[in-house]
Amino acid sequence: MKNEHAIAVIDAYLEADNLPVPHAILVEGPWGSGKTYFLEKIYEPSRQEQAKTRRFYRTPFLFVSLFGVKSAADVEKRMHRAASPKEVAAGKAVGTVITGILEALKVKDATKTTLDGIEKRAARRHVDYILVFDDLERVEEGSLGEIMGLVNSLITTGERRVILVGDEAKLLEIHADANWGEQNEKIVGRRVRIEADVESVVRRSVSEVHDGLTKAFMSDRMDALIDLASRSEVDNLRNLSWAIVNGARFVRSLLSDPEIPQNHVTRTMLVVVATTLWYRSKKLTKEALGRVPSLSMTLMVRSMGRHGEQPPEDPEATAAKLFSETFADLAVESPPVEYQRIVDFEASGILNDVDFTTWTKSQFGFGEGRSEPSWRRLWHSYERPMADTEKAAEELKKELAQRAYKKRGQILHSAGLAIKHGKAGDTRLTNGEDVVPFFKAYIDKLVADGSLEANKIDPLPLEYDSAGGLGFSSKDTPEFAEIYRYLTERQAEIEQIELEKRAEEIVKEAEAGDLEALHKLNLINDELSRNPVLLNIDVARMANLIASDVPSLNVGSRLLAYRYHHGRHGEPLMTEIPWARKVYVSVLHKIEEWPEPHRSMSTELLKGLIRHYEHGHHPEDQIIHSETQADGYGDPQHNDA
């Protein structure tokens, strides 16, 4: 049993009728090693259960966190809140927890006073508890002496049993000026070091899973989870608990679809747990995870190209290789789930069940009428019979000829595979053509028939991660880079056309009477507000709409003022500024025909709003040039633009 020595030391301390020398004991170990977990979830429940069985009373523990405390008064308040939560909730005073202690602690350091004069009644308020002071190393710097003075008074004058919990290495590091050596010598009589109890944490974490089906599924695979956690060599039990939580969420998602086989659910669970453990423990970065799929192939190609040369050090590749070797039985190089999805879930805690199960079934061919895509089977051909490879290659050749793949990831996967096969002398996937012209023509045909998937303009594309590697291992080749750029350009064209169509529809809505529709062009972070989509809207048409009456002018003024307010110099959106200037001038011309006072008031509104929101912008990004405003720029009587 783990931590037997710790149990023996704590038992001896608590069960002694009299302590020859009053002292506290220190339960220590690194952050995340499970010190609090051991005391709260294992030791104390077992201790109370034994007492119940023998039908006698044992004083319970009172856990008090010292995280961030600045004084003995803070500690007293926390003791009161922990022991009397109902009283605190009712708003009763918390400043008289241990009557007399604060007055006696005017001397701030336990190493400099015996505090012999403190009356014993000072600590009697919570005499029905054994005090467990957790997070000792996390008290505010400069406060450790006063806190240890309180502990000293409790164990000497108050004759209390106190258990301190902390990381002694951090105590020496963080509180170097607090003379921990003397504090320790005076107050701490015994110490025990807690070792991470991986098995107990795994079992308890699974037992706390709320979903019944998920709990049952994971409980049936408890030995595999414990073995994996042990092999991971991750001792931070908080990270282990989170890994089980993450694994349970993915299991719940997959179990919601009966067409996904349980062996696939099991493998997904284990890969998620292993990945979370190493990622949270910083043994793997996002970059290293991106190297894991196709790692063997990449290392093989590199070794063939070096001809005996010593490979340069690559920390990310080294971490990926160690991860692959440690969890080789899970085949992490061809994972059952995208690593990016695990990373995203780790950051957000959000997993869309329908999206994930649909992706899983489409990638692995689960469910009626589905089959594993040929490009996936072809990529993993190095671990399958040659007949399977040949069949997959012929199927992919046929699918490419039929332009079966219309999504970005699928096209780039196939291109990457074609590049690899082409370098091996097999050009059948592209029907004997060079890879780059073949895929450019492929993309052009999809554009021509309107079936190419539009790709939203995204400054942080995640295509490499979202597809789990595979054909993307060719991404460093010039052929792949050229196909990637071309596909991106054509998809951007499609996206731009679609955005312009949306803008046209919005203008039509405004012309039909829904003036507020124009606000859709100003929504923050919407694609319409970040891209130049109004250049094809006729200037006179927009000016007629804006200057048709006062209500439309109010909406139009906000459109011109708000739309470019957050734009930065050089961004694509700002190419609309010349168009906006022409609209502005045309509107001013039309307002000149309005009767007073509407003409003057509306002109002032339009100019004032635009000037306010473009203040400080680069001159080229201003509808009303600041340096020419004094000369009447933008006024119809001075400018015929």
Side-chain angles (χ1 to χ4, degrees), residues 539 543 560 564 569 574-589 606 610 614 618-628 633-635 639 641:
V539 170
L560 294 175
Y564 311 104
H569 185 61
M574 307 311 283
T575 60
E576 281 186 4
I577 292 296
W579 174 89
R581 287 180 189 142
K582 293 177 182 178
V583 171
Y584 164 75
V585 171
S586 183
V587 169
L588 283 179
H589 275 295
L606 177 63
I610 293 175
E614 68 181 14
H618 189 282
E620 294 178 8
D621 298 334
Q622 294 176 350
I623 296 174
I624 308 175
H625 274 306
S626 58
E627 67 270 23
T628 59
Y633 177 87
D635 292 341
N639 196 321

